[in-house]
């Protein structure tokens, strides 16, 4: 399988409540909050697809889509 | 996204507060179910009353949202009469261990094949921050304005002593571990207890010097260790995580079936 | 034929009735004077592939039968006063979530632990009002073992027809006494089966949307439809709502489905009412003494009539009003401080005609007691 | 037929209630009669002095309790002292020699039989004392036939004990028949 | 003076009333919309040497306050519908064992989990009949915070006077709303203290033998007299008895001590009743809208009158009958399906004059709602 | 005789059946109280409902005969409001651990100073012989006519896990040991649990091949051993007796007093 | 005096209810007025959109709910969309610039102030946003005096925060006074 | 103190229910049942005053009185 490759980081803005969990614990600082307190992926290029943000997000708002 | 298939999307965003750990428990549960490849129509989720209990409304399984503390009693009726179903019973710590404590120990004693998830935020979230039997000494709560004087249960010890054949603990920080434990718990034939430390920033954090979800997750990260770690020894502040009990013992419905067989032969 | 005649306790007759009605699951906790119902079913259910469980208390027993009903079973629990008090919260859940189930309360002397091995009929109003919040409820009773059997079957039928908990209110005398019971042939009594939805998998099923005829077909847990069951006010899919319209119409539905069907639910027995000047109204074991009194007086030419309520809630007000229209005196014979008496007073014209003949000391009211009370009512002293 | 209003009384382990049930069941199942049987309890389901009421008749029985028995059986002194005052004048009072010493004047036919002693001598097992008592009653009165009770015994008692029960029943009958009035 | 004026929730007013009455012990379990009562007392009781405990559930809360009363404390618990249902068994114990205690039920929408954050008044009959077996009970209510305070004090007074549990039935609107409360100076409201026996150590004390005046002096656990307390029927020393005379007289005592003192227990408020053609009867938050309506119409010259029941059980039948004697119409304003309406109908002459103005959707009935219903009652349509 | 002073003689002979172990528990309790030299007026006995529960009527202490399963909840109210009193709460096994299980674990968790005696006859005596959560697998009961399929609690483990600071087990055969354990339990400051195996010849013995009290006592003699005995190892039929836990931990009422002190200073 | 029927609305953490209580309490304790305050809850004790009703008057207030507010405060768009339709014609609608974009035509005086922004700029702590809103309301209407609210703040707020609150209150007043009609 | 000396064995006949516990477990066979199923001390001379009968008796019916 090898290391998965990122296709897209999808944030469901209607669901995200801006708790910051994904941002804080992202080992690569991929994510940030915007002016509306919603998450955006500002550095997708650093994403290692560990998916920790996805599985920790309390809102199911965060999705790391990999190529496969 | 796989999890979408297992939820009732029209109720999202859900009613939990920003950063509430219960959402992460839901997240882990959905992934565990997905990875196990279970049929949605074969799963029944029963819950009680509390923020945690609202989880049953969000999952697209058969769902039974019951009374505060009684989820396991209802679940026993469901499971015992239809043993092929997979029963998952997420509960708040008050739900499971205050008002519901008796059903908890009796379901464990019977070793009936239900997966009980204790979404332990050490507080009564839904009613606004009263202490629970999992609150720690000194915790501030609306009914413990001078600091809690009650001792907390150790749910792992309690479940084990009562007879659960699968007992585990994890946290919302350790979501990957959580998924894997949930998978084992659901697969386990017998009564399984999974305690999930879950943050309530609104009612617990705010009053106890942890202002947001991330600081609470940091706490889970630094104050828990895998079972057997040296760090836990002699330090009551550090909790062990992992699977404490995993034993094969006669499951209740099977015991009943066996009795039926015996008398009809 | 011979095998169908048995000599049993009322509690056994109740268990037999439940088996006849097709009970699949019983959960209970022992309590005098109801325990024999559980004991019989503990022996019989496993032999038929049914399920019996002794739970840790009455609360969980009530919860468990609701769970067992949702998988498609006819379910029952049995208890007495203290246990019935403990069941009230979960009973309300069954009302709200519209779960068919039968709760037997074999009454003993209350309040509290009271007089556990003695008879009482003090839980009549509790059956109606014991759980919090407005609601309606079906409550049945019986005065002999054949009726216990039939009313048990009727209870299951009503529970399934109206998707509601039904309470059977016997008492210690009926529960413990032994007499003859003829177990009817299968098919000779009507048995209402679980109404299941015909909606196919994948099609939107509304667990809480009444059909044209008012009934709500169910879908078993584990079956094709994944819906939600809650004790909160809920919409037609079973999901919580506090929308005022939803709340109002659900509460009205819960009450109306029972109150407007009082005619279908009502069961009673009457004798000599046509020309009766004094009507004795009674239920449960007290009704045996009432009937004894009536028969006795009739044989002496006195115009007494007998009306036995086999269903107490919803109170059959118009039936009682009509039957009592021309009686001079109406005497309610019961073993409490006048709970049915109050309902009769509220139902009839000229309630000053209504009197209470009771006994509250734990002993079965006797024909002699009634005779003495009648003398007083008739102004003759004792 | 005559209406039998009977009270069987004794203490806990004596099988008084079982005997009452058998008698009434025999009447219903094998004699086509109508019968009701009931019992008093102590605290919850247990207690000291036991009492069982049986009414047997060929007409419907409504009030199931016996206030004035025309047949009273007392197997202990305590029971005798408590219940002998309520016997209907002219009724039959059957008691056991060993346990009961008739102390009061009772306006009834008192029959004191050495049932316990005979059972112990002839059978050696106190468990069938109650059945012997039933036999005695049958011997004294035309309530039900011996065969009817036997049929019930056969149904209710484990096979290996049936014979012993039958023996006890016969013992009772044979003790009583000579006294039949 | 200034310090005595506070701006608080009704639940806080209740806690203040309890403190004023001298509460020594509170045990409870949180439930919306009553929780603030516990929260205030959790902060205040320890500061006065009193005791607060959060128990594992409502059952144990009710049991604990009975235990705490027996050591000589004034005690209280607070809950809402689901918790109140769970308390029924232990409430019956307090009735039977004659233990002074106060139970607050801040009503929300029922049945079952119902409509937890919305108002309801559906537990009125449950307060009367929720526990098994015949019994009597005192139930009070209030429609504003000054009254909440006073009725809480009255509840403690009645509990101590009659050695009985007293139920305070508020509702979500009253519990959560904030308004002014003037805390009376100590001594300005009567406070009834625990009546303790004067019987000396070594002399036979009868915990269950009423004095000449009907009251039963108590002796604290730990004190001079070692007696027995039980939920079984019991003799004058408190020891179990199923003697029919003992049973009958105890049950009669339990009912009579309350029913015959209805006059002393009753509290009500009235306005403009003398010449009222239409009387609005109400209680709790609904009474605010009823009074609003009455004031409004009076100012326009219409002959409306207002009767607020601050005590509901024992139902003040003769008071209501008298007050309503000459009214053309009696309209009961309540947020349920007519529970007090039924009691009013049973109380008055010509019950066909009695109408129900209600709302059951979780919203507070408004003066506009009442106006519309009045129009219909008066035959004017809407 | 010393015990006479502590009983209400007018109710003797008591209502328990011949050979009922509950009488022996009463006997031991009275001797423990006597030997401790306690003041009768300082003792409150609370009990629930059951044959066992009738014990409260026989002792000449303050006595509170409550509801089935609720004795500890009432006792908590008594103790917490009057901490100087000595509270003893004898309960049947059904009373303590079926319907009363929740109050049992919560009283243990709080470590409130009550002595809970579990009069364990493994059956519901008073209601006529239904199985209890202490009945063993295979036991015959009226509601387990084909043999019980439920697992039994181990009350020692359960009490320990829930937080009791004194936990012991003995039997009516070992009456001397029973007295000495009861003395320690009553003296212990904190929640003490003493499980007393007690025979019910009427409802348990009769159905389970033990026809009288003596044969049941013989069973207790041969099937129990002091804690740590080799015989118990690996033999689930042999139960250990003795004091399993005896620890000094903050007692609940003391904790509350300390809080009051803290806030008033 | 005029009767103020007010609805304060916003989302969970914004302190809408606290502000409502302070306003009403100030009126009662320090102005000798009559006031009632109530709030809506979501499921049990929590929920999304928050609403608090306040009525202030010099005459007794019976019905405590506000059906048609003459003063409406909306601190979020959701609240604005939900509640703006119920405002009494001619009433006052106060909203925050940042959170609310007035979309509909409302028969009321709409005042949109940059309260949040100003608080953040001048004080830097969003916690006193609600107090600034109170100040603005006081600036716009003669409900209660600033000192009265200040007295309440002094009682309810930890000492170290009192000044910050006062600052926010003043900020609000000063933003609003120019707009006073 | 030394070994206590027996003064009297008192059986409360009204309370004894004849369960046989004291008889069965008496190490010295001091006790027996009489014809009424009540206990009597037939061999008091063998009594060692171990008092096991006294403390095990479920009826509090058994009393070993020692000289002291
Ligand atoms: C019988 C009953 N008592 C009390 C309540 C009120 N209540 C609802 S949820 C809850 C506790 C919530 O705490 P927890 O179970 O820990 O779950 P959380 O909300 O923290 O997830 C309480 C006390 C109720 N609904 N029913
Ligand atoms: C609420 C309630 N449920 C059930 C009962 C009936 N009941 C009385 S005692 C008892 C159990 C007795 O067993 P246990 O507690 O083990 O005591 P034992 O009689 O064996 O000493 C039961 C189920 C009751 N009194 N109250
Ligand atoms: S964890 Fe989820 S809810 Fe929280 S900020 Fe990230 S995407 Fe938003
Ligand atoms: S109150 Fe706590 S538990 Fe409830 S939703 Fe909010 S954060 Fe979660
Ligand atoms: S039934 Fe059992 S527990 Fe009850 S008194 Fe008899 S022997 Fe003792
Ligand atoms: S132990 Fe007691 S009751 Fe049993 S035989 Fe001996 S003296 Fe009698």
């Amino acid at each position: 399988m090898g290391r998965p490759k990122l296709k897209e980081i999808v944030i469901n803005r209607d669901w995200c409540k801006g708790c910051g969990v994904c941002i804080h614990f992202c080992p690569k600082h991929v994510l940030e909050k915007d002016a509306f307190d919603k998450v955006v992926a500002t550095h997708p290029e650093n994403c290692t697809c560990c998916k920790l943000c996805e599985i920790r997000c309390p809102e199911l708002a965060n999705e790391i889509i990999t190529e496969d | 996204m796989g999890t979408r298939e297992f939820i009732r999307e029209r109720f999202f965003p859900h009613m939990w507060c920003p950063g509430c750990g219960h959402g992460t428990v839901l997240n882990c549960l959905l992934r565990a179910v997905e990875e196990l490849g279970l049929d949605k129509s074969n799963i029944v989720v029963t819950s009680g009353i509390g923020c945690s209990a609202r989880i049953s409304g969000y999952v697209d399984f058969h769902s039974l949202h019951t009374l505060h503390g009684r989820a396991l009693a209802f679940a026993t009726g469901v499971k015992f009469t239809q043993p092929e179903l997979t029963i998952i019973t997420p509960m708040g710590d008050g739900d499971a261990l205050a008002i519901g404590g008796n059903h908890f120990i009796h379901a464990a004693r019977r070793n009936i094949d239900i997966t009980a998830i204790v979404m332990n935020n050490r507080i009564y979230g839904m009613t606004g921050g009263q202490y629970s039997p999992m609150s720690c000494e000194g915790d501030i709560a609306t009914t413990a304005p001078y600091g809690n004087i009650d001792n907390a249960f150790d749910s792992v010890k309690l479940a084990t002593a009562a007879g659960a054949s699968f007992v585990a603990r994890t946290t919302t920080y350790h979501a990957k571990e959580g998924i894997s434990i949930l998978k084992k718990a659901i697969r386990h034939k017998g009564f399984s207890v999974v305690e999930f430390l879950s943050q309530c920033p609104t009612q617990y954090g705010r009053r106890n010097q942890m202002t947001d979800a991330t600081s609470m997750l940091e706490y889970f990260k630094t104050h828990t260790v895998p079972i057997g770690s040296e760090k836990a020894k002699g330090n009551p502040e550090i909790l062990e995580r992992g699977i404490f009990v995993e034993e094969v013992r006669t499951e209740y419905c099977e015991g009943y079936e066996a009795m039926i067989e015996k008398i009809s032969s | 034929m011979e095998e169908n005649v048995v000599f049993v306790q009322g509690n056994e007759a109740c268990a037999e009735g439940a088996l006849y009605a097709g009970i699949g699951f019983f959960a209970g906790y022992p309590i005098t004077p109801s325990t024999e119902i559980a004991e019989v079913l503990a022996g019989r259910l496993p032999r038929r592939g049914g399920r019996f469980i002794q739970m840790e208390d009455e609360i969980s027993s009530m919860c468990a039968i609701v769970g067992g009903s949702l998988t498609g079973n006819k379910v029952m629990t049995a208890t007495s006063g203290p246990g019935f008090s403990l069941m009230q919260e979960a009973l309300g859940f069954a009302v709200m979530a519209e779960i068919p189930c039968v709760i037997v309360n074999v009454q003993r002397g209350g309040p509290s632990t009271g007089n556990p091995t003695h008879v009482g009929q003090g839980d009549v109003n509790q059956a109606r009002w014991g759980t919090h919040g407005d609601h309606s409820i079906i409550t049945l009773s019986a005065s002999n073992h054949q009726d216990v059997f039939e009313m048990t079957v009727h209870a299951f039928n009503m529970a399934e027809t109206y998707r509601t908990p039904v309470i059977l209110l016997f008492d210690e005398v009926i529960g413990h006494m032994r007499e003859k019971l003829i177990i009817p042939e299968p098919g000779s009594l009507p048995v209402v089966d679980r109404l299941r939805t015909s909606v196919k998998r994948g099609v939107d099923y509304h667990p809480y949307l009444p059909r044209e005829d008012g009934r709500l077909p169910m879908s078993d847990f584990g079956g094709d439809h994944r819906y939600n069951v809650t004790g909160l006010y809920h919409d037609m899919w079973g999901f919580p709502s506090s929308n005022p319209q939803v709340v109002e119409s659900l509460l009205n539905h819960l009450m109306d489905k029972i109150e407007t069907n009082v005619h279908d639910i009502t069961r009673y027995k009457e004798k000599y009412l046509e020309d009766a000047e004094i009507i004795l109204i009674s239920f449960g074991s007290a009704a045996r003494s009432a009937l004894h009194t009536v028969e006795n007086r009739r044989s002496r030419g006195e115009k007494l009539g007998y009306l036995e309520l086999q269903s107490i809630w919803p109170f059959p007000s118009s039936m009682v009003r009509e039957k009592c229209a021309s009686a001079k005196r109406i005497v309610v014979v019961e073993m409490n401080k006048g709970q049915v008496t109050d309902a009769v007073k509220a139902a009839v014209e000229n309630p000053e005609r209504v009197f209470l003949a009771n006994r509250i000391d734990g002993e079965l009211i006797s024909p002699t007691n009634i005779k003495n009370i009648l003398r007083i009512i008739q102004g003759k002293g004792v | 037929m005559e209406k039998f209003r009977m009270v069987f009384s004794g203490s806990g382990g004596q099988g008084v209630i079982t005997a009452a049930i058998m008698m009434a069941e025999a009447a219903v199942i094998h004699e086509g009669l109508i019968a009701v049987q009931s019992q008093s309890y102590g605290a919850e389901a247990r207690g000291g002095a036991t009492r069982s009421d049986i009414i047997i008749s060929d007409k419907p029985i409504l009030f199931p309790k016996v206030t004035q028995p025309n047949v009273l059986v007392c197997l202990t002194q305590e029971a005798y002292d408590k219940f002998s005052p309520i016997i209907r004048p002219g009724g039959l009072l059957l008691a056991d020699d060993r346990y009961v010493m008739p102390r009061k004047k009772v306006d009834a036919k008192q029959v004191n039989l050495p049932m316990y002693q005979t059972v112990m001598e002839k059978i050696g097992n106190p468990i069938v004392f109650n059945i012997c008592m039933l036999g005695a009653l049958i011997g004294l009165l035309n309530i039900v036939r011996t065969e009817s009770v036997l049929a019930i015994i056969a149904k209710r008692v484990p096979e290996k004990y049936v014979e012993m029960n039958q023996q006890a029943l016969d013992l009772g009958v044979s003790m009583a028949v000579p006294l039949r009035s």
Side-chain angles (χ1 to χ4, degrees), chain A, chain B, chain C, chain D:
Chain A
M1 219 173 79
R3 183 190 247 271
K5 212 167 150 262
L6 182 69
K7 199 157 127 200
E8 196 188 349
I9 299 181
V10 182
I11 310 286
N12 184 334
R13 289 178 63 81
D14 288 338
W15 292 9
C16 169
K17 289 180 187 153
C19 69
V21 163
C22 56
I23 302 171
H24 184 90
F25 291 104
C26 174
K28 301 287 170 190
H29 308 292
V30 171
L31 307 166
E32 274 175 41
K33 267 195 223 179
D34 69 9
F36 298 90
D37 266 358
K38 304 280 178 179
V39 161
V40 280
T42 47
H43 298 288
E45 66 282 7
N46 295 343
C47 178
T48 60
C49 302
C50 71
K51 295 202 179 185
L52 281 170
C53 57
E54 180 177 318
I55 63 174
R56 280 207 196 98
C57 172
E59 304 292 331
L60 313 178
N62 214 318
E63 201 178 347
I64 305 298
I65 302 180
T66 52
E67 287 176 1
D68 48 12
Chain B
M1 176 172 163
T3 51
R4 292 242 167 157
E5 197 194 309
F6 296 102
I7 60 173
R8 290 161 172 156
E9 273 197 52
R10 65 187 177 288
F11 300 118
F12 282 74
H14 54 56
M15 52 80 87
W16 289 314
C17 303
C20 173
H22 292 354
T24 306
V25 177
L26 169 63
N27 196 332
C28 293
L29 175 62
L30 297 175
R31 285 168 208 275
V33 167
E34 186 191 11
E35 293 179 20
L36 288 171
L38 300 178
D39 176 353
K40 291 197 285 183
S41 292
N42 240 354
I43 306 176
V44 178
V45 168
T46 65
S47 68
I49 298 289
C51 294
S52 40
R54 286 308 186 95
I55 197 172
S56 59
Y58 298 130
V59 292
D60 189 22
F61 311 140
H62 303 280
S63 59
L64 177 53
H65 179 233
T66 70
L67 299 169
H68 188 40
R70 314 297 171 196
L72 285 170
F74 285 88
T76 298
V78 174
K79 179 72 191 181
F80 189 48
T81 56
Q82 201 62 278
E84 319 75 277
L85 296 176
T86 298
I87 319 282
I88 302 169
T89 303
M91 296 171 286
D93 46 310
D95 207 30
L97 294 166
I99 192 168
N102 209 27
H103 312 306
F104 184 82
I105 59 176
H106 281 272
R109 179 178 61 77
R110 290 191 189 98
N111 193 33
I112 187 163
D113 185 20
I114 293 170
T115 301
I117 305 173
V118 181
M119 299 162 77
N120 177 13
N121 55 18
R122 303 197 181 282
I123 201 83
Y124 292 168
M126 176 156 277
T127 44
Q130 300 75 34
Y131 64 95
S132 99
M134 300 302 283
S135 297
C136 302
E137 231 194 283
D139 279 356
I140 301 295
T142 61
T143 45
Y146 313 118
N148 179 32
I149 63 162
D150 275 48
N151 305 313
F153 278 132
D154 180 325
S155 74
V156 165
K157 284 193 190 148
L158 190 65
T160 305
S165 54
F166 182 103
V167 182
R169 178 189 289 130
T170 185
T171 88
T172 48
Y173 174 77
H174 302 89
K176 278 213 170 127
E177 174 185 284
I179 296 168
S180 113
I181 286 179
L182 281 175
K183 280 164 64 181
K184 289 192 187 140
I186 293 170
R187 252 195 321 241
H188 177 78
K189 192 99 196 146
F191 191 67
S192 321
V193 175
V194 180
E195 180 186 0
F196 237 110
L197 300 183
S198 170
Q199 70 278 14
C200 170
T202 308
Q203 301 296 359
Y204 184 90
R206 223 169 21 120
R207 287 188 180 84
N208 290 284
Q209 284 84 45
M210 288 186 272
T211 46
D212 58 11
T214 50
S215 59
M216 300 182 82
L217 289 181
E218 285 287 354
Y219 185 90
F220 292 162
K221 181 176 160 188
T222 52
H223 285 72
T224 65
V225 291
I227 294 176
S229 298
E230 277 303 313
K231 266 175 88 182
K233 307 238 157 83
N235 186 346
E237 298 247 302
I238 305 283
L239 275 182
E240 291 176 305
R241 293 186 334 267
I243 298 171
F244 294 80
V245 178
E246 190 174 10
E247 283 175 21
V248 181
R249 286 191 236 135
T250 313
E251 191 273 335
Y252 195 73
C253 306
E254 289 181 348
Y256 192 84
E257 292 299 342
M259 178 191 78
I260 292 186
E261 293 245 315
K262 190 186 83 185
I263 59 178
S264 47
S265 64
Chain C
M1 259 308 298
E2 262 285 285
E3 297 116 54
N4 286 344
V5 180
V6 290
F7 183 73
V8 291
Q9 291 192 313
N11 284 339
E12 298 176 68
C14 174
E16 292 290 349
L19 290 163
Y20 187 94
I23 183 175
F25 179 47
F26 179 98
Y29 189 77
I31 185 167
T32 306
S34 76
T35 309
E36 295 82 4
I37 298 173
E39 290 173 343
V40 170
L41 292 171
R44 297 283 290 280
L45 274 172
R47 295 200 174 275
R48 323 209 300 169
R51 301 193 174 251
F52 170 91
I53 194 171
Q54 184 174 302
M55 293 296 289
E56 53 270 26
D57 59 14
E58 289 86 351
I59 295 176
S60 50
S61 300
M62 184 65 216
C63 297
I65 64 166
V66 168
S69 186
L70 281 166
T71 61
N73 292 281
K74 293 193 178 179
V75 298
M76 179 167 104
T77 187
T79 188
S80 186
F84 193 54
S85 286
L86 289 171
M87 288 179 181
Q88 291 303 328
E89 192 202 13
L91 176 62
F93 181 90
V95 167
M96 186 58 131
E98 304 192 63
I99 310 293
C101 53
V102 174
I103 300 99
V104 186
N105 173 355
V106 185
Q107 293 170 96
R108 60 193 219 180
S112 197
T113 316
N115 207 358
T117 53
H118 289 70
V119 74
Q121 297 184 318
D123 305 349
V124 172
N125 276 335
Q126 186 194 26
R128 175 69 188 86
W129 296 112
T131 194
H132 62 281
D134 256 305
H135 62 281
S136 195
I137 201 96
I138 298 174
T139 301
L140 310 175
S141 190
S143 66
N144 65 49
H145 292 10
Q146 206 62 43
D147 288 355
V148 165
F149 185 98
E150 287 178 19
M151 284 301 121
T152 305
V153 175
H154 185 52
F156 278 94
N157 289 348
M158 293 296 95
E160 295 296 335
T161 302
Y162 297 109
R163 263 189 77 168
T164 189
V166 172
I167 295 162
L168 269 168
L169 217 49
F170 302 136
D171 56 54
E172 188 274 338
V173 166
I174 297 295
H176 278 160
M177 184 185 94
R178 283 183 180 79
E179 69 179 4
K180 176 165 132 179
L181 167 71
I182 305 173
I183 298 179
E185 292 297 324
S188 68
L189 286 184
V191 167
V192 176
D193 282 324
R194 177 70 49 96
L195 178 67
R196 292 194 170 79
T197 182
S198 54
V199 171
K200 295 276 168 313
R201 181 166 211 147
V203 179
D204 200 8
Y205 160 66
H206 299 103
Y208 292 102
L209 184 64
R211 290 201 307 203
E212 206 69 349
D213 65 357
R215 293 187 66 185
L216 298 95
M218 297 185 73
S219 173
D220 297 348
F221 267 28
D224 288 338
H225 304 288
R226 297 180 304 277
Y227 57 98
N228 190 55
V229 176
T230 179
L232 289 161
Y233 277 93
H234 47 269
D235 60 23
M236 61 189 173
W237 294 276
F239 291 105
S241 170
S242 57
N243 176 309
Q245 276 97 56
V246 171
V247 171
E248 180 177 315
S249 75
L250 177 52
L251 180 52
N252 281 331
H253 160 71
L254 292 178
M255 306 220 28
D256 291 349
K257 72 175 182 180
I258 291 173
E259 304 292 333
T260 61
N261 287 302
V262 54
H263 186 74
D264 178 45
I265 296 162
T266 299
R267 291 290 181 280
Y268 63 93
K269 287 173 146 181
E270 59 170 290
K271 215 161 176 185
Y272 316 122
L273 287 189
E274 317 72 41
D275 63 345
E277 290 174 358
I278 300 181
I279 295 178
L280 302 197
I281 299 182
S282 192
F283 61 97
S285 62
R288 299 177 73 103
S289 296
L291 180 55
H292 184 113
T293 306
V294 170
E295 296 282 13
N296 207 276
R297 297 298 190 90
R298 273 283 164 181
S299 69
R300 292 198 257 133
E302 295 179 41
K303 293 195 169 157
L304 265 68
Y306 173 74
L307 177 60
E308 179 184 341
L309 303 178
Q310 296 179 288
S311 64
I312 303 181
W313 308 116
F315 196 75
S317 299
S318 47
M319 181 276 285
V320 170
R321 183 166 50 250
E322 281 160 34
K323 302 280 178 195
C324 294
S326 50
K328 288 213 191 95
R329 292 198 175 83
I330 302 151
V331 180
V332 182
V333 182
E334 54 184 332
M335 288 181 291
N336 59 45
K337 299 286 279 185
Q339 300 184 16
V340 167
T341 307
D342 286 346
V344 170
K345 279 187 183 159
V348 301
E349 308 277 320
N350 307 322
E352 62 286 354
R353 294 178 298 163
V354 181
F355 296 86
L356 167 63
N358 69 343
R359 190 161 178 174
I360 54 165
D361 64 357
E363 304 292 324
L364 177 61
I365 191 167
S366 70
T368 313
N369 297 143
I370 299 175
K371 184 182 81 186
N372 291 336
I373 294 169
L374 283 179
R375 286 185 63 88
I376 294 172
I377 292 171
Q378 292 173 294
K380 300 182 194 162
V382 277
Chain D
M1 77 176 276
E2 193 189 346
K3 185 170 187 172
F4 289 101
R5 296 185 184 81
M6 306 192 272
V7 169
F8 290 5
S9 64
S11 82
Q14 291 179 314
V16 160
I17 292 172
T18 312
I21 296 170
M22 286 181 163
M23 170 73 94
E25 187 170 9
V28 167
I29 306 283
H30 299 292
E31 311 266 344
L33 291 171
I34 291 172
V36 302
Q37 178 274 342
S38 61
Q39 62 237 28
S40 328
Y41 294 85
E44 301 266 337
R46 306 169 319 90
T50 306
R51 167 187 172 158
S52 181
D53 293 8
I54 312 108
I55 306 178
I56 299 180
S57 171
D58 52 3
K59 293 186 208 65
I61 302 163
L62 291 165
F63 187 64
K65 304 280 175 175
V66 177
T67 35
Q68 278 198 311
N70 50 18
V71 178
L72 174 65
V73 176
C74 302
L75 299 188
T76 64
Q77 189 67 41
E78 194 188 343
Y80 179 87
D81 295 346
K82 190 161 171 195
F83 299 118
S84 60
I86 65 167
I87 195 165
R88 194 174 286 255
L92 170 76
L93 196 165
L94 172 65
D96 185 85
D97 247 7
R98 178 173 193 253
Y99 288 106
V100 178
M101 157 102 78
R103 278 197 284 232
K104 294 171 199 144
K105 280 218 161 143
V106 175
D107 175 10
K109 179 178 172 190
Q110 293 211 41
V111 178
N112 252 36
L113 291 176
M115 295 177 283
Y116 185 82
Q117 196 195 321
T118 316
V119 163
M120 292 312 283
E121 277 168 15
K122 301 266 164 86
I123 302 176
N125 194 335
I127 210 163
V128 289
F129 175 29
N130 60 339
I131 302 298
C132 174
M133 176 276 277
L134 269 192
L137 217 52
I138 293 171
L140 288 164
L141 298 165
N142 268 326
I143 314 176
V144 293
R145 288 165 301 137
T146 324
E147 307 88 85
S148 305
V149 175
L150 269 178
I152 298 296
I153 288 175
K155 196 178 74 180
R156 294 200 158 238
V157 168
E159 221 186 299
K160 57 178 173 181
Y161 295 118
V162 170
E163 211 192 292
M164 185 168 77
N165 275 271
Q166 173 156 6
Q167 217 182 323
L169 194 72
D170 292 343
L171 257 185
V173 174
S174 57
M175 288 166 79
V177 167
L179 303 168
R180 195 159 190 162
S181 51

